[in-house]
Amino acid sequence: MSTVQDEAEVGRVQSTNDEESEADRGPENDENRTVGGNPVRTLRRPYEEEKGEEEEEDKSLNAAGTSFRSHERHDLDMQEDSSLASSPALGRPSSADGSLSIPDDTPSIQDSKASSPSRRARLSSYGRSPTPSLRPFDRRFQARTSSSPLDSPRATSPAFLNPHSRQPSLLSQTVRDVGDLEPSQAPWEVVRWTKLRKMTGQAFSEIGKRNFGRATCIAVSATIALGTSKGLILVFDYTQNLKSIIGLGTKAVESGAVTSISVSADHTILAGGHASGNIFTWDIAKPAKPFLHITPVDRRRSIETDGHGFEVPVLHIGFLGTRHTALVSADDKGMAFSHLATRGLGSVSRNVRTTRILGRYPDDTPGAVRQRKPSAVLAFSPLPLGNAEHASDTIGLVAMLTPYLLVIVSTTPIAQTQYKTSRPKEVAAHGAMSAALAWFPSVKLKTQNLATSETSSRVKLAYCWSNILTILEVVEVEPSESSGKGAPASLQFRPRSRWKADEAIVGLQWLSRSVLAVLTITQQLVILEESSLQVTDSSDLIQRHIYHVDLFSQQLNQLVDQLDGEDASMHGVVADAFYMSFRAYKGRLFLLGYNEISFGTLSNWADRLLALMEQGNFIGAVQLATAYYDGEADKVTVGLPEDDLARHNLVREKLLEMMSASLKYAFGKNVEARTRQVEQAELEELANACFAACISMGETDFLFEDTYSWYQGGEAEGIFLETLEPHIIAGEIEVVPPSVLKDLISHYRDKDLEKRLEEMICNLDSRTMDIDQITSLCKENNLYDALLYVWNQALGDYTTLLLGLLDMTRQSNGVHSHPEASFTDENNKNTAKMFPYLSYILTGRIYPTGRQMSEDKVLVAKAEIYHFFFSGRSHGFPSQTHNTATTTTFRNLRKILDYDAPSFLSMLNEAFEDAFLNGSHDRVIEETAGQLTKEQTFGLSVNRQWIVSILLEVMTPPNYEPEDSVYLDMFIARNLPKFPQFILLPGHVLHRVLVGLCNFPEEDVAEDCQLSVEYLLSMYQPPDLPSLIPLITKARFYRVLKSIYRADGQYARLLQTCFDDYQNPDAVFDCIGDCLRPRVGLSETQAKDVKAVIILRAHDLVATDVTKAASTIEEYAPELHGVLLDALDRDEASQFQYLQIVLEPSEQSAEDKRVLQRTPNRSFVEQYVRLLCDYDPRHVSEYVEKLKTGDLRLEEVLPALEKSDVIDAAVVLLARDGKVREAIDRLTRHLSTMEAALLGLFEGASVSPDAANTQEFAHHLVESIQKYTRIGIWLCQGQTKSAQRSKGQLKQVKRSKSRSVSEELSLDENLWLDLIDAVVAVTKNINEILEDEKMSSTERDEGSTAALKYTASILDSSKLIQVLRKTVQETFTALLATTSAPRTDDLRRQDGSFLRILRAFLSRASLSSPSLSNLRAVLATIFSAYAYEESLLALANRLLDKDLFVHVTEADHLRRRGWRPLGQVCEGCGRRVWGPGAGSYIWDAWQRRNEERSEMAQQRQAVRAAENHAIAASQGKGKGAMSDRKGGRASSSQDVEFGSGNTPAIEAGVDVANDRAEDLGSLVVFSCRHIFHRKCLQEMQGPQGAGRASEASGVEYSCPLCTNT
């Protein structure tokens, strides 16, 4: 029976639900008990809590004609003894207040705890004048007390999350710390289990087992029904009394064990499926005979009849809707059926119609070749009814899970599949095969769902395969207009969410609409919140010994046994079935064990709080209750509503009771023991918990009255007061009673913590303070921040204390001087607070917290401040002569200016941004007439113009030195451009301001003054600006000068200024680009002047950045390169860097590429090559190769190349100038030099102290020899190609014996000879030395032999010889490749060049060395190279021949295959041309063609014999004219002809003609398989298309049928 089936039906009948209202719940019935002498109220037990609900259900059902009063009067024995010996007295909350209520559908808010980040402002002190780093008109004043509160040290609470462990867990979300409780365990049970002892005694005793058999399944509704192995059903009520034994004396006891059981929606009918395939339904009130009997069927007798087979156990059964005669069931063979019985007078007269809804009969396809996969119904459940109408109510939905599919079938009016999906791919491979599912119907909601605007919940199905659980929603979709008005709503099945467990799931039950109970294969109970699919609790049920049976392994044995280990599609083992013993009803879980029956309820929030209190963890209980109140902990699973107001009302009273009991317990224990039994740390934790709870509830009265009284009475008020501090700083508590505030002040004064106290006072509401006490305290301890705050907020006075601070700045003699000379540091700190205070007040902020002032206070505060400073006599703008009478005006303003004018003006600069000074307060003055004082009215009229005028009048010399007046000039210059509509000043004042800024007194303010001048000149144009240029230049305001020169078009002076600007030297390059860029449009004179400045400051330009100078000049003024290089005449490194940027830029943009197209200056190139030889000799040859002919002169760079030993570049340059002979001579000389170095290295290797460097140098020399040899090869190859092009055709020259061998060779051959001679000489000499040393090693002493071996080991001589021989081999290979080039049409070359060079080489070698034994190794290397190349060529030829043979064979095969005609008649005339019935004329024509071919073959043989005879006669008689056999064979018509359009056509070699008819010619077959007579084809194509002559293939044809289409 589903969890909610009974609940839904009852809701349907009584039209209400516990989810709709709390009024249906019974009143609290708390029991009193005494623990440790203290009265403690306990929670009512779960079944007692619902007594009121059950009574309502009883009344409703009585009205329907059925009474269950006896069933609902239950009192299960589930009380357990417990003790609270160490717990405080506490009123235990009643779970009836909501622990069993089903919350609404809104998702729970997790992790909603707000953090309060804070920062503590540093103590700011302001000196006499701000330094440039402070930027006096850019900074903002800050008070010591930051507006952001400190972090509250309220304890955060870890969660008791421990999923899937053997210990019960508490919460899955972060909640407050529960005292000393370890996070891994919670002191309560997740599910409170109770053993039904009376029921267990009757069903599981020996007598019970003997009489009834063992229990096999359980169903729970208003009654508890047990199926037994003897075919009986035991029905118990909630008092555990056995009401009836169903099945005695009937056929049920003969039908085998009860394998499935279900109860109807109205709790009156009970259905049971048996192991024999029989199904019985029983009226519980009349159990003598079955209400309905559905027998199994024999398919062998009646194939058309559906039903369970004989001896096939019925594993699943359920009722459809409210009907007693509509059932669905599934059996052991994977088949499911719906059963519908007609109405009748009894079970005998009822007719049952059975319809198959899933599976196939085992004997359906006895002769099938393909074997069906085994299947089973692993999980099965019909949809129960809810108390809200839904479209699914009338169609009888049934959900079924097989090993492969989820199938949802509607049974009414006909069986039809509504939804089907396969097993998800996420299912763990080769794990346990298990499945479970559970429906939750549509129920009414207490409040409308805001997201979907629905008043009822959606139907949900939870199903799982193995460890993957999915939630499926069933949504009603309204019919479209085209469907008609009466069309029913359709259903959509939407998978909503998915969850993956750690192990296979074997059971699923809904505890409520938002809570799922999940049973895993290891009997682990997991509580899952459905909306978020988060594990909230877990509990181990292994000790419950849940009854489980292996029902499916035999049916699925084949599937498991044949499992492929590499195939992850199926599982490796089939899990036992638990569904018959794991049930839920009205939020309670029922377990059928092997030896007992038990039920359990989730511990609600009240149970968990009480468990903590019983453990003595009162702090943890308060913290957890606070988390429940704030909604930070799980609400759904503990029975708390989602609605904040309802939850607050539920938890508030209990939380206050727990805090009272905890305080009483903590301090009462200390009083009784007369010693401090509760440690201070625990009292601090308790205080934090109480503060957090009271702040969350807004119960500050309880905090300061009850809580503080306990701490004060326990002499621990210090703990409370210090705990109070962070909450005040965080702004969580603003009002503190005067008595507590007095104790707070005394406590912090006693501990000398006045600064912390000041910060707290500034965050409290001043209305509850004792002004006299606070004033005295602040003055005594110099707490002026707090004093100003209290006077502003409590008294509304903003100037009295300011006047006192100004009085502290007065000098005894009245002479302006620095305050540090006469005041202490403490006074300076206090007086310096005036400026942030004024800044805060004049910008509408409360000092020092920074919070915004209220609108009714902000105008008054600003008006009083402005009146305080700017009221008095004013004489307009100051005159040139100083009037001493003005010294008595604006006294307060003069005081503060005398103290620190820069800081005051900086504060005013910030205040000027406030809209108060816009001067639009006339309406406010009229509305508040009579309420404002005269001073306040005056202050409202102050504006920016007035303030500036007063400042100009007051700050005049000699009262103020330029060190102070310059700040006024900066203030005016900054604000005049910002507020031109509010500030109007005459020209002479602005001129004086400009001059004053240029004559700044100290270098520290130079940058600020220049910025101020820029502000001023942005809106003020002096009439005599040229006369001010010297003054601005003297002040070194280069930015100002640049803007002036740029505006006037004086580009030369602009560039000169950029050179002078030492603070921004790189700007000169941008300036050059801005001036000389073509689109700027400078005149010729202006460009000339700019270039003159560059020439004049060339040294400064390259000194700034050589790289940028080179790139800039190359782009805009390349003709000035020589000037800049001359400026670097003594710095060759910079010259090299400069020329490298010019001649070889690293990154080439489009502009760079265009510039590089210019021909470089020859002198620059030559100079760059010379510098390359010194700074980067390896790059010389690479650069030289890029140069064109004529880019440099060889004689200018050759000495440097030779000096730097850059021979490769020298050779390239000589060859480019045509001096090939000199180039090869230099190359061979360099090879000889390296040979000598290598020989010297061999001789000194044995005595070298650095073996590693010696070896490295030897290898470097050999690599250099190889490198230069390749350069020589390149040189010789180029010369050989040039010689071939110049001669056009090589002629063989007769050589006289009187000439030497070298004179017989051409120039290019001599070059090859010299190169080969040099390379072979190096190799021969090195090899000769090593061989000689080896040969004479036997004649040497042991020391010399050891030295030789040491030398060989150091230098690795064998490797060196191998590299040298390879070099010789490369040289000869290149020679052979060059001199044996293939012939071309315009060049014919004889291949004797290589032989001449080789003969000359051997002749020269014989002259230098009469014996060729020394050349044996070298020659062997040469010839082995040729042998190796020959083998490669032979292998390549074989591979090519093989591929060619394959392709030719394939082509010949395709050629011989031919085409088969599409039909047997000519497409033109329609006559049969081949096949049966064609006629004998075809045979005659074929014979004639064969005779013609024989005659032609004989003629060709005769011609061939005559040719052979002529050839034999001409042999031995010199060259004779040979017959031209080119046309020896007559051309004949081709068999394969190609028509136009590349359509090949095959002309059959048979003349086709009808008997006694005209000759139609040969047959022509096209690739499209159409066949024609030749004559017919020609007639169809006409004269123009009869055929085109083709030299290659005779006549071309095209198919007329295909080409026409």
Side-chain angles (χ1 to χ4, degrees), residues 18 83 220 386 414 641 738 740 827 1025 1198 1290 1359 1372 1405:
D18 56 345
S83 175
V220 182
I414 59 173
V740 179
N827 287 336
L1025 183 60
L1198 193 58
L1290 293 175
K1359 185 176 181 180
F1372 275 93

Side-chain angles (χ1 to χ4, degrees), residues 100 134 158 238 343 431 571 612 633 802 1031 1130 1186 1499 1592:
L100 294 176
L134 292 176
Y238 278 103
R343 295 183 178 273
H571 301 263
L612 288 172
L802 187 60
L1031 184 62
R1130 296 183 180 181
K1186 300 178 183 178
Q1499 293 176 4

Side-chain angles (χ1 to χ4, degrees), residues 1453-1470:
H1453 175 70
L1454 294 174
R1455 176 68 180 84
R1456 292 175 180 273
R1457 187 171 61 180
W1459 298 323
R1460 178 180 178 87
L1462 188 62
Q1464 296 180 355
V1465 298
C1466 173
E1467 301 292 345
C1469 63

